[in-house]
Amino acid sequence: MTNTTNTTTTKTAKTAKTTKTAKHTTRTTRPARPLAHLEVLISGASVAGPALALWLSRYGARVTVVEKAPALREGGFAVDFRGHAHRTVLKRMGIWDEVHRRQTHMGRQIVVDADDKETVDLPAFLMSGDVEIFRGELSKILYERTRDQVSYVFGDSVASLSEAPGDTGGVDVTFERGAPRRFDLVVGADGLHSHTRRLAFGDESQYLRFLGHYVAGFSMPNHLGLDRTARIHSEPGRMIDLCNYDGDPQRAGVGFVFRSEQLHYDRHDVAQQKRILAEKYAGMRWRHAPMALKALEEADDLYFDAIAQIHVDRLSKGRVVLLGDAGYGATMGGIGTGTALVCAYILAGELALARGDHRTAFAAYEAEVRDYAKGCQKTSGNAGPFLAPPTEKKIRSRDRAYRMLSSRFLAGFFKRLTEKAANGIDLKEYAIDETDKNEATDENAASEDTAYEAPVPSPNRQP
């Protein structure tokens, strides 16, 4: 294995002294840098993995992140954050301001008929949460904040896991390319189709619940001159949108959502996936659909997946634990990125409280996040039928709902509704010693006393 960075830091230990309670926040004390004795492997360098690495390294752990891709994955869907819990964790991580600096500034999204006539205008406040950012940009922020304290290994992946016996054992890990190593703990943060979960918990078929729809997306030339806006068209059982999230005059995005029985295809066969899309969208009446299908032929960045959820009986097995989409994921509509950041904060905090005792920490982590993660995941269940209603009547009903929710009169109600799941947890405040505070560049991230107050996805974004 070739390390891009292999730097650990050692700082003076201090002791947390106080316990306080604030709205939505429970203060918890712990010894300073309690994880200095731990060596942790995280599989996955998208968002959940680097977020956990940030916290674990602050608590003193030696962290390695292994990623199958040869480099950080750029671009990707836009993701949003909304509500008190998301905001609190972003501030404590010290990245709230940076996320705002790199946000999409996405504007209105417009539902159109087959002739491209506007039927519903969806304002930005309805669709993009408190702040919205491309997944690739968020991943870059987290990598930049952790690369000097964390060892990142790109172009490799876990091949096997074997837990050594005894309380002082560990997990023996072999890699596809690198030399075998032993780690105290292994974290599967490698997405909905987690390889780590398969190795430790069993085949994906036991845990993946198909929701009757598929989603796809790719980039294409910006022929319509879109500028931070989207045009969305639905026909029974299928939907297509053309969008521009970043103001690039040359580039646009295409999103597909369609209803289907479960398909059997090779996840790595892009040509086969293109043929599926061409077949499913043949004869679509929208005037811009042929242009999008022509661009599909040339696309080199196609994303294609089932709209599905992951349901596991437990989040840990021995010294292996699941985080983010690997443990409670949803393809879209489940505020998965915000959930992953909140749960990474909790997993690291519980490990710190337990001074690295994985049995105690993993049990506490699961107790803290299970209901919260399930509540967030539940919001994804209607994403497919809402975006691609099965009948013309249901399309009209969906559009009426859009019109009502986009009115200023109902804006506050809709905001509270969309934030309900995201806010469905009372966050502990895991105390950080003075040395650790200096690592958080946002001064709000270092506050130990303040509870922060927070003032339907499209296929090219995933909250």
Side-chain angles (χ1 to χ4, degrees):
M1 267 190 325
T2 302
N3 294 345
T4 61
T5 306
N6 191 6
T7 305
T8 58
T9 59
T10 304
K11 298 183 179 178
T12 304
K14 298 182 181 178
T15 304
K17 299 178 180 178
T18 60
T19 300
K20 297 186 179 182
T21 302
K23 184 179 180 182
H24 299 298
T25 304
T26 302
R27 179 74 181 284
T28 312
T29 60
R30 64 163 177 81
R33 304 189 65 76
L35 303 183
H37 60 293
L38 284 187
E39 189 158 1
V40 181
L41 174 68
I42 299 172
S43 177
S46 178
V47 172
L52 180 64
L54 182 149
W55 288 111
L56 291 179
S57 63
R58 287 188 188 176
Y59 294 144
R62 301 181 302 282
V63 182
T64 298
V65 178
V66 62
E67 168 58 49
K68 185 175 183 178
L72 282 180
R73 300 176 189 269
E74 297 184 357
F77 290 109
V79 299
D80 73 44
F81 301 100
R82 54 187 71 213
H84 166 85
H86 292 180
R87 178 182 293 207
T88 298
V89 170
L90 288 169
K91 283 178 175 283
R92 291 179 184 170
M93 293 176 76
I95 64 172
W96 174 255
D97 288 344
E98 188 63 25
V99 168
H100 275 74
R101 279 192 287 271
R102 303 195 199 185
Q103 67 180 300
T104 63
H105 296 288
M106 183 62 172
R108 58 202 285 256
Q109 301 186 42
I110 301 163
V111 179
V112 299
D113 63 16
D115 296 322
D116 205 40
K117 179 182 176 181
E118 299 180 7
T119 60
V120 184
D121 190 332
L122 302 171
F125 74 82
L126 187 71
M127 303 297 285
S128 299
D130 295 337
V131 64
E132 181 181 67
I133 186 172
F134 283 114
R135 182 184 294 273
E137 283 297 304
L138 179 60
S139 178
K140 191 182 300 183
I141 290 171
L142 293 170
Y143 174 71
E144 291 167 353
R145 294 299 178 96
T146 56
R147 61 187 174 189
D148 291 334
Q149 293 80 36
V150 172
S151 173
Y152 280 87
V153 182
F154 292 98
D156 205 352
S157 62
V158 175
S160 69
L161 300 169
S162 178
E163 186 162 342
D167 291 340
T168 59
V171 183
D172 291 320
V173 182
T174 65
F175 297 91
E176 296 293 341
R177 295 178 58 192
R181 291 176 61 184
R182 175 173 289 191
F183 295 89
D184 297 299
L185 304 174
V186 174
V187 182
D190 44 351
L192 199 77
H193 302 289
S194 169
H195 181 60
T196 308
R197 185 186 61 232
R198 183 179 66 79
L199 291 174
F201 291 76
D203 190 75
E204 178 179 289
S205 60
Q206 301 175 62
Y207 310 113
L208 189 140
R209 184 179 300 173
F210 175 61
L211 298 181
H213 291 76
Y214 286 83
V215 59
F218 58 93
S219 59
M220 64 171 284
N222 191 2
H223 295 309
L224 299 184
L226 301 174
D227 184 7
R228 292 188 171 90
T229 189
R231 303 185 79 80
I232 304 167
H233 176 70
S234 296
E235 294 179 6
R238 56 186 181 176
M239 189 233 55
I240 182 173
D241 84 344
L242 298 178
C243 66
N244 173 278
Y245 272 79
D246 58 4
D248 185 339
Q250 304 300 320
R251 184 180 64 179
V254 183
F256 293 121
V257 171
F258 64 92
R259 188 181 185 187
S260 174
E261 72 284 354
Q262 193 158 9
L263 302 173
H264 300 285
Y265 65 96
D266 184 345
R267 289 183 54 240
H268 304 289
D269 188 340
V270 175
Q272 182 187 22
Q273 295 163 23
K274 288 183 177 182
R275 289 194 297 272
I276 291 171
L277 289 169
E279 177 184 327
K280 295 294 182 180
Y281 281 82
M284 193 169 206
R285 300 190 305 273
W286 187 34
R287 60 185 295 185
H288 297 307
M291 175 179 66
L293 291 173
K294 180 64 176 177
L296 171 65
E297 298 174 6
E298 305 298 325
D300 60 4
D301 59 349
L302 177 65
Y303 167 84
F304 183 99
D305 206 350
I307 296 182
Q309 296 174 344
I310 292 296
H311 295 269
V312 296
D313 296 330
R314 61 191 187 280
L315 294 175
S316 64
K317 185 176 181 181
R319 292 174 177 267
V320 181
V321 65
L322 302 177
L323 174 66
D325 284 352
Y328 28 84
T331 310
M332 63 184 303
I335 34 182
T337 304
T339 303
L341 294 191
V342 169
C343 294
Y345 168 78
I346 293 170
L347 175 55
E350 293 299 339
L351 279 166
L353 280 177
R355 297 185 64 83
D357 180 340
H358 66 281
R359 295 183 184 88
T360 300
F362 290 172
Y365 160 66
E366 181 144 0
E368 288 287 327
V369 309
R370 178 166 284 279
D371 288 346
Y372 174 67
K374 282 186 174 296
C376 294
Q377 187 185 58
K378 188 177 179 180
T379 66
S380 71
N382 291 324
F386 195 76
L387 291 168
T391 66
E392 291 285 1
K393 182 178 179 180
K394 290 191 175 183
I395 290 174
R396 291 193 296 271
S397 296
R398 188 274 313 270
D399 290 351
R400 283 195 296 272
Y402 265 149
R403 291 188 193 98
M404 289 189 295
L405 293 174
S406 61
S407 70
R408 287 290 176 182
F409 177 73
L410 290 176
F413 166 77
F414 183 72
K415 181 177 174 62
R416 291 189 297 272
L417 184 67
T418 58
E419 290 179 358
K420 182 178 179 181
N423 282 335
I425 191 166
D426 292 331
L427 288 174
K428 292 181 181 178
E429 187 173 349
Y430 301 100
I432 299 176
D433 66 60
E434 294 298 324
T435 307
D436 288 330
K437 285 182 185 180
N438 293 332
E439 294 181 1
T441 58
D442 185 321
E443 65 180 9
N444 289 316
S447 171
E448 294 184 348
D449 302 325
T450 304
Y452 299 97
E453 299 292 343
V456 180
S458 87
N460 278 286
R461 56 179 313 288
Q462 292 183 325

